[in-house]
Amino acid sequence: MSRVLHRSGAIPPIAVAGDGIYLHTADGQAIIDGSGGAAVACLGHGNRRVAEAIAAQAGAMAYAHTGTFSNQAAEDLAEIILKDEPGGLTRAWFCSSGSEGNEAAIKLARQYFLEIDQPQRVRTIARRQSYHGTTLGALAAGGNMMRRAYYEPILSQTHSLVSPCFPYRFKREGETDAQYLDRLIEELDKEFQRLGPDTVMAFLAEPVVGATTGCVTALPGYFRRVREVCDRYGALLILDEVMCGMGRTGTMHAWEQESVTPDIQVIAKGLGGGYQPIGGILIRDRIVKALAAGTGGFLHGQTYQAHPVACAAALEVQRIIREQHLIENVTLMGERLEIGLYERFGNHRHVGDIRGRGLFWALEFVTDRATKASFEPSVRFNERVKAEAMARGLAAYPMGGTLDGKVGDHIIVAPPYIVEASDIDTIVERLGDAVDAAVKGL
Ligand SMILES: Cc1ncc(COP(=O)(O)O)c(C=O)c1O
């Protein structure tokens, strides 16, 4: 019996220790954390330097309210991320999760337009099958249909959704990439027109869509054209890099590979690597200046924002990533993972698509590669693969509802940035065996 309310009825294995890419359970299993949880554990587990940084900060000063004090860990963390002002981003604001980061981004967008005397801007546009968080505001802004379903009647109506850029599923038969792109951009433009272009605050998107559809990268040029539409109508571009950012896809920021820069960027998971709960937003200079010239500050706050212990942990994680050139390892090991997945699953009857970037890859499962038919949702194929992988000592991140919140199955592999070639091979091998076993068990 457990007094913790778990996600499903059953009590999952109790994780008691972590060591590199492994998690150890109370009943003695060693499991490869092949997805870093939900693409979180970028440094792997049990890093002594991070543990010591946490202890040192907690011992020296665990908490000071940001209404009265700053703290050196937050100052240094913002500096290490923003010292070169990537994409014109000049200020950081830290919270405790990705959802809170998206809430802050939306509220900052609203305040920005009040500061520059455009109070009529109250709407956002995002994409179906995207996820921006679980709190009511972030859930309302996003397009994860499965996670929205129960709460639809109580979600704010100021957010609207357009189609995702998801060629494997939604590029039409006979349509070229260029035609598909034109169609998506036209749809976005029309949505601005429908809402009234000067009522829209921001367009929100994940540069690489994470858990909802499984590592879906956009077609080249998509984000540049989205940026053009935003600029045409004076709306902000908010890029949610909670899952795909902080090095996960082979560059510190996923937008670097899209030739666009955001006005506000949301970060979390890989920022602190799971050593402490931390998220944040990175803010472009023109927004900072508008606040400075207007009311002077951001009218949004949380008790635990810029928490010293969380910031100290993230600072050490970020230092290690830089000192050990781990993003280069993401690219190197990412190539090996990509090759390994294609070799193992490229002709697999039940793997319709292999997609991703860096150390962020997914398999989408089908009953038939030619028709791309998905498994019946009641089969819960993604969960079967997860269970078979766990039985073989591999944790991966599965999800159903890939297409529309109901239909479709995928699983994500997103190992820590410290992963080695032999680990990649083991992950692919165990995943291959798990998929085959799941098929056999049908
Ligand atoms: C892209 C994206 N945005 C926001 C969130 C919400 O972050 P959190 O669960 O830390 O609140 C997630 C979490 O999976 C995410 O992947």
Side-chain angles (χ1 to χ4, degrees):
M1 138 96 176
S2 165
R3 291 211 182 274
V4 175
L5 181 62
H6 293 288
R7 285 173 184 238
S8 66
I11 308 171
I14 308 272
V16 291
D19 161 28
I21 67 163
Y22 284 88
L23 281 171
H24 301 271
T25 61
D27 61 0
Q29 295 179 71
I31 294 167
I32 294 180
D33 192 1
S35 58
V40 173
C42 59
L43 274 194
H45 302 280
N47 187 294
R48 293 314 312 160
R49 272 182 62 180
V50 184
E52 279 158 21
I54 291 169
Q57 183 64 55
M61 192 276 294
Y63 177 73
H65 195 274
T66 52
T68 310
F69 301 99
S70 184
N71 65 80
Q72 202 55 48
E75 297 291 338
D76 292 349
L77 180 60
E79 180 61 24
I80 198 170
I81 298 169
L82 295 175
K83 69 172 183 296
D84 299 325
E85 303 194 352
L89 300 162
T90 62
R91 292 286 190 283
W93 181 92
F94 299 112
C95 51
S96 309
S97 69
S99 301
E100 291 168 359
N102 277 291
E103 297 279 343
I106 294 165
K107 287 178 71 178
L108 181 59
R110 171 67 185 154
Q111 189 180 336
Y112 168 70
F113 285 113
L114 290 175
E115 303 282 6
I116 64 168
D117 206 19
Q118 296 187 27
Q120 78 287 356
R121 290 198 189 255
V122 293
R123 299 185 175 281
T124 70
I125 305 174
R127 303 181 300 172
R128 279 187 289 284
Q129 291 305 85
S130 65
Y131 183 57
H132 300 300
T134 193
T135 48
L136 285 174
L139 189 68
N144 185 310
M145 300 326 226
M146 179 166 58
R147 292 179 179 165
R148 287 175 64 107
Y150 288 1
Y151 308 103
E152 207 67 64
I154 58 169
L155 298 180
S156 161
Q157 300 299 310
T158 57
H159 307 283
S160 71
L161 299 170
V162 293
S163 300
C165 184
F166 187 178
Y168 174 68
R169 282 299 176 183
F170 300 118
K171 194 174 85 164
R172 291 177 187 146
E173 193 80 32
E175 193 174 42
T176 64
D177 284 357
Q179 288 165 339
Y180 180 41
L181 259 187
D182 285 347
R183 176 158 66 84
L184 292 173
I185 297 304
E186 195 184 316
E187 182 189 340
L188 178 60
D189 197 292
K190 278 194 177 141
E191 186 61 11
F192 268 91
Q193 295 294 343
R194 187 183 75 81
L195 297 171
D198 68 343
T199 69
V200 179
M201 300 189 288
F203 179 75
L204 280 87
E206 297 163 81
V208 180
V209 181
T212 314
T213 52
C215 306
V216 174
T217 54
L219 286 174
Y222 170 80
F223 276 103
R224 249 187 312 104
R225 293 189 60 188
V226 162
R227 174 86 251 186
E228 281 166 17
V229 175
C230 290
D231 289 347
R232 187 178 320 136
Y233 297 124
L236 300 179
L237 177 62
I238 299 175
L239 291 182
D240 178 348
E241 299 213 355
V242 165
M243 206 164 193
C244 62
M246 304 311 291
R248 174 56 60 195
T249 62
T251 46
M252 180 54 78
H253 308 294
W255 51 256
E256 290 172 57
Q257 298 179 61
E258 303 297 342
S259 312
V260 289
T261 53
D263 297 298
I264 305 173
Q265 179 181 348
V266 189
I267 55 176
K269 303 183 192 268
L271 173 61
Y275 283 86
Q276 285 284 292
I278 186 164
I281 54 174
L282 308 178
I283 309 154
R284 197 157 191 158
D285 206 38
R286 71 174 157 126
I287 299 175
V288 176
K289 286 196 173 119
L291 263 60
T295 52
F298 183 22
L299 188 63
H300 175 74
Q302 297 181 228
T303 301
Y304 295 127
Q305 74 188 52
H307 192 278
V309 180
C311 290
L315 176 62
E316 201 61 19
V317 169
Q318 293 306 313
R319 282 181 175 150
I320 294 168
I321 287 174
R322 285 158 181 77
E323 281 168 31
Q324 299 182 2
H325 307 289
L326 290 180
I327 297 183
E328 287 165 29
N329 199 51
V330 170
T331 302
L332 210 65
M333 291 300 110
E335 282 165 10
R336 192 176 182 100
L337 180 58
E338 176 178 2
I339 291 168
L341 291 174
Y342 272 98
E343 279 177 356
R344 183 65 179 81
F345 298 104
N347 289 314
H348 197 287
R349 271 180 59 209
H350 293 293
V351 175
D353 197 26
I354 303 168
R355 55 187 178 239
R357 190 175 282 169
L359 280 176
F360 195 41
W361 283 83
L363 305 177
E364 186 179 331
F365 301 112
V366 291
T367 56
D368 181 329
R369 284 163 65 97
T371 65
K372 300 184 185 175
S374 298
F375 287 94
E376 275 296 313
S378 60
V379 168
R380 296 174 175 267
F381 190 75
N382 66 89
E383 289 178 21
R384 289 174 185 248
V385 176
K386 176 193 176 181
E388 295 290 355
M390 278 293 276
R392 288 162 178 77
L394 174 69
Y397 193 55
M399 191 71 74
T402 315
L403 277 72
D404 57 3
K406 292 188 179 120
V407 176
D409 297 89
H410 62 269
I411 198 158
I412 293 178
V413 183
Y417 305 173
I418 56 162
V419 76
E420 294 176 6
S422 60
D423 303 324
I424 294 283
D425 299 346
T426 308
I427 290 169
V428 173
E429 187 188 322
R430 290 186 187 179
L431 187 61
D433 292 347
V435 174
D436 288 345
V439 171
K440 223 175 188 174
L442 286 173

